[in-house]
Amino acid sequence: MGHLTGFIDIQRENPAEQHPLERINHWQEYQKPLTEEAIKLQASRCMDCGTPFCQIGSIIQSNTSGCPLYNLIPEWNELAYQGKWFEAYQRLAKTNNFPEFTSRACPAPCEGSCTAGLPGQPVAIKNIEKAIIDRAFQEGWVKVKHPVKKTSKRVAIIGSGPAGLTAADDLNQHGHRVTVYEKDDRFGGLLMYGIPNMKIDKKYVERRIELLSKEGIVFKGNMNIGVDISLKDLKKEYDAVLICTGADKPRELPIDGRQLKGIYPAMEYLKESTKHYLNKQYSPSISAKGKKVIVIGGGDTGADCVATAIRQGCKSVIQFGKHGKLPMTRSEANPWPENPQIFTLDYAYEEAQSKFGMDPRQYFIQTKAFIGDEDGNVKSLETTSLRDDQSESRYWDADLVLIAIGFEGVESSLFPAIEKKQNKISANDVDFKTNHDGIYAAGDARRGQSLIVWAMQEGKKAAKEINDYLSKLQ
Ligand SMILES: Cc1cc2nc3c(=O)[nH]c(=O)nc-3n(C[C@H](O)[C@H](O)[C@H](O)COP(=O)(O)OP(=O)(O)OC[C@H]3O[C@@H](n4cnc5c(N)ncnc54)[C@H](O)[C@@H]3O)c2cc1C
Ligand code: SF4
């Protein structure tokens, strides 16, 4: 701990951001990195606590507290403070295969449990992580790393999201021959086709896939396992298989009028948008241009829909949530080191506020029915309030509705021979084994809709289990 009173002397500083009215004209990342000196000062705010809660990675009261990758945060904070950037990168890379993704899109539960955050502002851990990894790429420290030995064991990974990529990376470094199968045309899972470009620029996903390919991992796209080749036949070709197919079955809203035109699951919309962003020849089947948009669902996927609709030039945008507005400060029922459940103005809401003069969020809303015009297009929504004091119906004009109320898990038709429970693949988080010998499962397909860091943690742990299994095979 180089600067003993850093957490008292220095205030937290966040990176400057491009003004919302400017950034909604493009799809690029909009944060301006802090200077090297500013990052050093921020790193010096770390207290190097005896028990660093920032790296505990646990679930408390259904929320993540601390880093699920167990990143060695106080250690790289100290190295960053000393300007030892290469050493800081080495420490970071020990636990985190892809800091360029987490440092951009992780909700940073590490900061929610940072001790400096108890009386004041937490250390800006995520920004320090980003400074370390961005510098590592700029300096050329992130190099193609060939495994030191090669084994003859073959592993197939189904799904190229953060869980699959992390497992592929670790198993490849153990020397096994790894092939990643992906049903989409591009690799990265939700890093590519879920999270919008403003949060994770797709060039960073492509850069990582290129590195992993050069290191020896084989990527096969447009391969829908279970359709193009059965799981059973795939298993015959490989010594082990890891299922990392994500939890992509959207939760439905089976109310009157759902069949009307102009109502889509959020993921279909976000995917079409990114496909068009990456290939201007591709004409998306859904666009918010000139439309009155309503997003149903108060979570982060809904926020990404709001930001996307604004960039596409929507006429208006409103987001319905079932819950009330969060408090401005922690409630007594949500003490440190739990992740704080407090009101924040996310990027999408700031943009809506600047563009349309209001926060698009509407609270305590229950959608009762979609109402259509004579051509079968949605034209309005009927809602009621979940607050006891307001029971009358309310009507909202809309010509594009996006349903963002979460994901149920995996499709029940996926891999019929593999046991599932409540739409999740049955495997525990210790050995990650399914009911079939040599077939494992990790990430959202196993735990349900989650976060990049949890998917990466599971990919890492499953890779260790598979490596142990392979080392016992003849
Ligand atoms: C819109 C949106 C925004 C999000 N934003 C954030 C965020 O900002 N921060 C955060 O931490 N988390 C975020 N999340 C959650 C995070 O993206 C996921 O928890 C994480 O990507 C799960 O990783 P995974 O590897 O388990 O699965 P996924 O990323 O879902 O990847 C699964 C892959 O498997 C492929 N696949 C499926 N079935 C088959 C098959 N049969 N054969 C071959 N391939 C198959 C899919 O095409 C997909 O590419 C967001 C999620 C969504 C939907
Ligand atoms: S991965 Fe997420 S939780 Fe872990 S240190 Fe980075 S921002 Fe924090």
Side-chain angles (χ1 to χ4, degrees):
M1 189 178 173
H3 187 166
L4 284 178
T5 53
F7 63 100
I8 299 170
D9 303 339
I10 294 151
Q11 296 300 304
R12 180 180 165 117
E13 185 185 351
N14 293 318
E17 293 180 347
Q18 194 180 16
H19 192 280
L21 286 180
E22 286 170 22
R23 68 188 192 229
I24 57 171
N25 297 314
H26 63 75
W27 299 83
Q28 308 308 312
E29 295 178 358
Y30 51 85
Q31 284 196 335
K32 298 176 184 160
L34 292 175
T35 62
E36 180 174 345
E37 275 319 300
I39 286 287
K40 282 185 184 174
L41 285 176
Q42 290 304 303
S44 80
R45 296 187 67 240
C46 180
M47 297 161 73
D48 192 17
C49 315
T51 304
F53 284 91
C54 57
Q55 55 187 59
I56 57 171
S58 323
I59 298 283
I60 312 179
Q61 302 273 26
S62 313
N63 281 301
T64 304
S65 288
C67 177
L69 286 169
Y70 316 121
N71 279 348
L72 304 166
I73 298 164
E75 294 183 32
W76 43 256
N77 275 340
E78 174 64 18
L79 291 164
Y81 167 60
Q82 292 178 16
K84 294 183 176 166
W85 298 103
F86 179 68
E87 289 80 358
Y89 162 62
Q90 285 182 314
R91 275 290 193 289
L92 176 57
K94 259 184 188 302
T95 55
N96 190 340
N97 299 52
F98 314 125
E100 69 273 31
F101 306 146
T102 50
S103 67
R104 288 182 158 76
C106 184
C110 52
E111 294 184 14
S113 56
C114 168
T115 314
L118 192 50
Q121 288 291 309
V123 174
I125 300 170
K126 183 170 149 175
N127 288 324
I128 298 166
E129 183 182 8
K130 184 163 180 291
I132 296 170
I133 187 62
D134 284 356
R135 185 163 187 141
F137 272 104
Q138 272 159 23
E139 300 280 351
W141 297 331
V142 189
K143 291 199 179 77
V144 172
K145 203 169 64 180
H146 291 292
V148 279
K149 56 166 189 182
K150 269 296 203 192
T151 75
S152 58
K153 299 292 185 297
R154 292 164 54 81
V155 186
I157 294 180
I158 311 174
S160 66
L165 291 181
T166 307
D169 188 11
D170 283 7
L171 286 163
N172 184 54
Q173 291 303 326
H174 281 302
H176 308 304
R177 288 159 208 278
V178 180
T179 305
V180 176
Y181 289 89
E182 170 56 58
K183 72 176 174 184
D184 262 321
D185 57 342
R186 293 174 193 264
F187 303 101
L190 291 172
L191 301 171
M192 173 60 71
Y193 279 145
I195 300 172
N197 203 72
M198 332 39 117
K199 269 163 74 180
I200 297 183
D201 195 315
K202 305 311 157 202
K203 70 183 177 203
Y204 299 128
V205 183
E206 281 164 357
R207 177 178 67 184
R208 184 55 79 169
I209 301 291
E210 200 183 320
L211 267 169
L212 294 172
S213 304
K214 287 185 179 158
E215 289 172 351
I217 297 171
V218 176
F219 286 90
K220 294 192 177 179
N222 295 311
M223 282 290 288
N224 191 350
I225 307 303
V227 175
D228 297 322
I229 173 173
S230 71
L231 182 62
K232 196 171 163 199
D233 285 347
L234 188 77
K235 179 65 183 71
K236 282 184 199 151
E237 284 183 41
Y238 292 89
D239 299 293
V241 173
L242 176 61
I243 301 171
C244 294
T245 50
D248 59 358
K249 184 182 180 194
R251 187 163 290 135
E252 253 306 336
L253 192 58
I255 55 174
D256 277 358
R258 173 62 185 89
Q259 79 292 347
L260 291 166
K261 286 179 267 179
I263 305 172
Y264 301 92
M267 267 312 298
E268 212 175 307
Y269 170 67
L270 292 172
K271 187 171 174 181
E272 285 292 286
S273 169
T274 298
K275 277 191 168 229
H276 175 66
Y277 168 75
L278 293 169
N279 174 10
K280 296 291 177 293
Q281 310 302 319
Y282 179 83
S283 62
S285 58
I286 319 167
S287 169
K289 194 172 173 53
K291 303 244 170 81
K292 284 176 266 178
V293 181
I294 289 192
V295 180
I296 303 178
D300 292 344
T301 302
D304 289 337
C305 289
V306 169
T308 301
I310 293 173
R311 279 167 181 72
Q312 289 181 343
C314 64
K315 201 167 178 183
S316 62
V317 62
I318 286 173
Q319 185 182 9
F320 292 168
K322 271 189 159 180
H323 301 286
K325 193 170 174 175
L326 288 169
M328 300 309 279
T329 52
R330 283 177 188 273
S331 70
E332 273 183 23
N334 172 223
W336 179 91
E338 287 178 29
N339 209 29
Q341 305 300 306
I342 54 172
F343 180 87
T344 50
L345 198 63
D346 279 2
Y347 80 115
Y349 307 136
E350 252 182 0
E351 290 169 2
Q353 184 126 38
S354 296
K355 173 87 183 160
F356 299 115
M358 62 173 266
D359 189 324
R361 287 171 287 187
Q362 299 286 327
Y363 302 98
F364 292 117
I365 301 272
Q366 168 98 357
T367 310
K368 299 295 281 183
F370 300 109
I371 299 159
D373 63 16
E374 54 280 10
D375 297 322
N377 299 305
V378 67
K379 67 167 191 185
S380 63
L381 282 76
E382 180 189 354
T383 66
T384 51
S385 172
L386 289 163
R387 286 169 53 148
D388 295 340
D389 54 340
Q390 294 170 10
S391 57
E392 288 131 47
S393 283
R394 199 171 158 188
Y395 295 87
W396 311 73
D397 285 352
D399 37 25
L400 176 65
V401 178
L402 303 167
I403 303 176
I405 53 174
F407 298 85
E408 282 184 14
V410 298
E411 295 288 347
S412 51
S413 57
L414 184 81
F415 312 141
I418 298 294
E419 268 176 20
K420 300 174 200 81
K421 203 172 165 197
Q422 292 173 332
N423 298 306
K424 293 174 207 157
I425 295 191
S426 299
N428 66 41
D429 62 358
V430 178
D431 62 24
F432 297 87
K433 287 179 178 165
T434 68
N435 57 319
H436 273 259
D437 184 45
I439 302 186
Y440 295 74
D444 281 9
R446 193 201 71 78
R447 71 182 292 130
Q449 185 191 356
S450 182
L451 295 175
I452 299 168
V453 267
W454 281 114
M456 288 175 63
Q457 188 216 66
E458 294 214 353
K460 254 188 132 41
K461 288 185 172 173
K464 184 180 174 304
E465 290 300 312
I466 293 171
N467 183 49
D468 289 350
Y469 169 81
L470 294 175
S471 60
K472 287 179 199 134
L473 288 183
Q474 289 310 308

